[in-house]
Amino acid sequence: MTKTDEATKTEAEADVDTDADDLGEELEAVEAEGPTGVGQGAGAVVSAALGVVSLTGGWVSTVAAARETLIGQLGTSSTASVATQVKEVYGDAWETTAMWGGIFALVALLVGAAVLVRPAFGTPGKPQAVWIKSVAWGGVSLGVIGLLLAVLKYTDVLLGLPSAS
């Protein structure tokens, strides 16, 4: 190894030590600042995602509706009236889909509200990031809309089953 190689190697080792010291100082500064709001941001995103699922439907509601359809088919005799067959085969599945949409909407609403009220119980003087508030309000809004639509679907006010008689 030449003296130039040794000098370059020593400079590189000094740079690594300096970078490690800088990283340690940055970590100490972050720890001194307190919570970063990552949990609140995650909660806001989860709230918005659950709100979207409440409006569009999800795997759980699809499977539950298919199960109710199967139960209705198995429990209804072929001699039952058309109105009974429609209610048992399609009506229960429709109500199940509405119920699961309402559950997702309610959870979205609760998670979004929890994110919005969290700063009241946190570090005084540390404001919540604007994007967290915006996404949480979006989740709350989607939750309210989803809950309203679920109730309207479940009670047959919105797109009720057709009359078979």
Side-chain angles (χ1 to χ4, degrees):
M1 209 181 255
T2 65
K3 289 190 177 207
T4 306
D5 291 339
E6 289 177 12
T8 305
K9 185 177 178 183
T10 305
E11 288 174 12
E13 289 172 354
D15 286 344
V16 169
D17 289 341
T18 304
D19 289 343
D21 291 341
D22 291 344
L23 181 60
E25 290 172 7
E26 288 177 18
L27 288 174
E28 288 174 7
V30 168
E31 289 172 1
E33 287 178 10
T36 60
V38 172
Q40 293 177 36
V45 170
V46 166
S47 173
L50 288 171
V52 169
V53 170
S54 77
L55 295 175
T56 61
W59 178 81
V60 174
S61 62
T62 302
V63 169
R67 182 178 185 276
E68 285 298 322
T69 300
L70 182 61
I71 290 170
Q73 288 172 347
L74 293 173
T76 306
S77 69
S78 60
T79 59
S81 69
V82 173
T84 303
Q85 289 180 2
V86 167
K87 168 70 175 106
E88 293 299 319
V89 175
Y90 300 107
D92 292 344
W94 180 252
E95 290 174 354
T96 300
T97 302
M99 181 191 66
W100 278 102
I103 290 170
F104 278 108
L106 184 61
V107 173
L109 179 69
L110 293 174
V111 170
V115 169
L116 290 171
V117 300
R118 170 64 178 93
F121 304 103
T123 307
K126 183 160 176 141
Q128 191 175 45
V130 175
W131 74 269
I132 294 174
K133 288 181 187 178
S134 299
V135 175
W137 274 114
V140 168
S141 301
L142 289 170
V144 167
I145 293 168
L147 196 56
L148 177 66
L149 289 175
V151 168
L152 291 175
K153 285 191 308 186
Y154 192 85
T155 58
D156 288 337
V157 171
L158 178 68
L159 299 172
L161 282 175
S163 174
S165 50

